[in-house]
Amino acid sequence: MTDVVLAAVLGVLGGIALTVLLLLARRLARGAADLGSEGEQAALRALHHASLAAPHLRAGLSAPEVVKAARHLRVLLGSAAVAIVADDDTVSFDGATDGLDAAAVRIATRVRESGRRQVFPSQAADDHLEGVGAPIVVDGHVIGVVVAFAAPVRAALVRAAEEVADWCAAQVELGGLDASRTQLAEAELRSLRAQISPHFIYNALTAIASFITTDPARARELVLEFADFTRYSFRRQGEFTTVADELESIRSYLELERARFGERLRVTLQIAPETLATVIPFLSVQPLVENAVRHGLEPGEGGGEIRIVSRDEGTHTEITVEDDGIGMDPDALRSTLTAADDGLHVGLRNVDTRLRQLYGADGGLVVETNTGAGTLVRMRVPKSQPLNDPDNEVRP
């Protein structure tokens, strides 16, 4: 159902965008002095007010900001007043009220009961305003009602109110998709944190314990590194972080792994300073490093080298994690990245999925590997991400 809704919404948005482009093309063809016909100008004004109203509907019809949407919808409909009534009778009203709040609730109740649009005459001899109510329907349920008041209510307003109600339903559904995407991102972060916990924590604590009697100072250092690593990995901030913060966590992680591997684990870093402030998805590089240690170097007896590179690529920052370990069969890797859950390479698959969700189908990981030839994993993220704030807090 979600896919159908998303396709419908994208179709509507695509149609609107095409309409705007056609209008602008006609305007340019006529010359800069021609501002277009009266009908074209009216269409542009309607699209403008619809775009301004849309964000205020995404949080649901009971949200306080819905009143801002009502303001734009009143202008769009050309009515004396507009009310958006949620299913809990929360009223978001714009226009000259004159006691119309109660009338809006009565109209909404009748519309919810019938499930279809209705026109209502004025309630008193000295009241010249009539009303029209149209249901906002999502998944077959009336979740609210658009009520417009005018004197009189003409056929054009009745049709317009119904179209606006359908458009409001699409915006609420789109807001639900945004919320689902956020919940999915949070679930994926919880999955990564769960992956870190059992395997790495056991090994780290075992390594720390091995130094308690032979080298207490080293044990204390490792305890602090462990605290720093877990503090970062289980922090409440963010779907996003910076390259600098992620690398600091990786440093702690590798110090703990060196306690196990000793000289068998070698690390090379090549970090361009201008990339340190780049915003990246939280826990997107660290799982790649852990994958290199766990699946690339750990199975071999001789250990190996991990090379982490962050380079400036103009509009993007490119980050690569490379190991000279046992590698992997490319076909097996392809199956791993598309499998629902094979219990292996969970972090690699999780990071790839999140990158594609954020940056599009071409924004996922690029993996170069072969049996016995090591593995190189590459990710590219745009430098400019004004909507992705690394300081936002996520729910636990």
Side-chain angles (χ1 to χ4, degrees), residues 43-324:
L44 287 173
R45 286 195 297 271
L47 290 172
H48 174 66
H49 284 289
S51 66
L52 292 176
H56 305 302
L57 294 166
R58 302 287 173 82
L61 300 183
S62 298
E65 60 265 31
V66 175
V67 68
K68 298 179 181 178
R71 185 176 307 130
H72 294 293
L73 295 183
R74 183 176 69 83
V75 177
L76 185 64
L77 292 170
S79 56
V82 162
I84 300 175
V85 185
D87 56 3
D88 60 357
D89 286 340
T90 299
V91 180
S92 301
F93 199 93
D94 187 74
T97 57
D98 294 330
L100 292 177
D101 283 18
V105 172
R106 288 197 302 271
I107 291 173
T109 300
R110 294 275 297 277
V111 170
R112 281 198 295 263
E113 290 172 351
S114 66
R116 57 186 178 84
R117 73 184 186 193
Q118 293 190 48
V119 178
F120 299 83
S122 59
Q123 297 295 308
D126 58 348
D127 184 3
H128 63 289
L129 289 177
E130 299 176 346
V132 55
I136 301 173
V137 181
V138 173
D139 291 336
H141 301 286
V142 178
I143 66 165
V145 177
V146 172
V147 183
F149 295 94
V153 169
R154 301 186 185 279
L157 179 59
V158 175
R159 291 194 299 271
E162 189 170 36
E163 293 296 330
V164 165
D166 291 342
W167 178 83
C168 288
Q171 299 308 311
V172 172
E173 289 180 308
L174 191 57
L177 291 175
D178 289 340
S180 297
R181 186 180 67 177
T182 299
Q183 293 168 359
L184 177 61
E186 292 170 356
E188 288 167 344
L189 285 179
R190 288 194 294 270
S191 173
L192 278 175
R193 287 168 173 145
Q195 178 211 358
I196 291 169
S197 301
H199 181 83
F200 170 72
I201 291 179
Y202 173 81
N203 288 335
L205 292 177
T206 301
I208 293 170
S210 69
F211 285 97
I212 289 177
T213 56
T214 59
D215 192 346
R218 176 64 171 154
R220 285 193 296 270
E221 292 174 1
L222 292 174
V223 167
L224 294 176
E225 297 289 3
F226 181 77
D228 288 342
F229 175 80
T230 54
R231 186 183 300 112
Y232 176 81
S233 299
F234 295 97
R235 71 175 193 175
R236 290 176 59 87
Q237 279 181 312
E239 285 185 55
F240 297 92
T241 187
T242 63
V243 170
D245 287 345
E246 188 95 345
L247 286 174
E248 179 60 25
S249 174
I250 289 170
R251 186 197 63 77
S252 295
Y253 167 79
L254 290 173
E255 282 299 317
L256 291 162
E257 290 291 27
R258 278 199 185 97
R260 286 201 305 137
F261 282 88
E263 297 300 321
R264 294 188 301 128
L265 174 59
R266 301 177 300 281
V267 179
T268 300
L269 290 104
Q270 184 180 335
I271 310 298
E274 59 269 27
T275 67
L276 291 173
T278 300
V279 173
I280 60 175
F282 177 61
L283 288 182
S284 57
V285 183
Q286 189 277 333
L288 307 184
V289 177
E290 182 174 2
N291 186 79
V293 173
R294 184 176 177 185
H295 300 292
L297 305 185
E298 189 172 329
E301 295 182 0
E305 180 179 8
I306 292 177
R307 188 166 182 260
I308 304 170
V309 178
S310 179
R311 59 171 61 92
D312 186 351
E313 295 287 339
T315 59
H316 288 68
T317 289
E318 182 180 273
I319 301 170
T320 60
V321 177
E322 183 178 10
D323 69 76
D324 58 359

Side-chain angles (χ1 to χ4, degrees), residues 336-392:
T336 292
L337 291 177
T338 57
D341 185 6
D342 63 354
L344 298 173
H345 304 280
V346 176
L348 200 66
R349 182 171 60 252
N350 189 300
V351 172
D352 180 65
T353 300
R354 292 164 62 207
L355 290 174
R356 292 178 187 277
Q357 288 172 346
L358 288 168
Y359 307 124
D362 296 330
L365 296 175
V366 175
V367 185
E368 300 175 16
T369 188
N370 211 333
T371 304
T375 301
L376 183 146
V377 183
R378 178 184 295 110
M379 60 182 283
R380 296 180 79 249
V381 297
K383 285 184 180 178
S384 178
Q385 300 184 57
L387 299 180
N388 298 336
D389 186 353
D391 293 326
N392 285 342

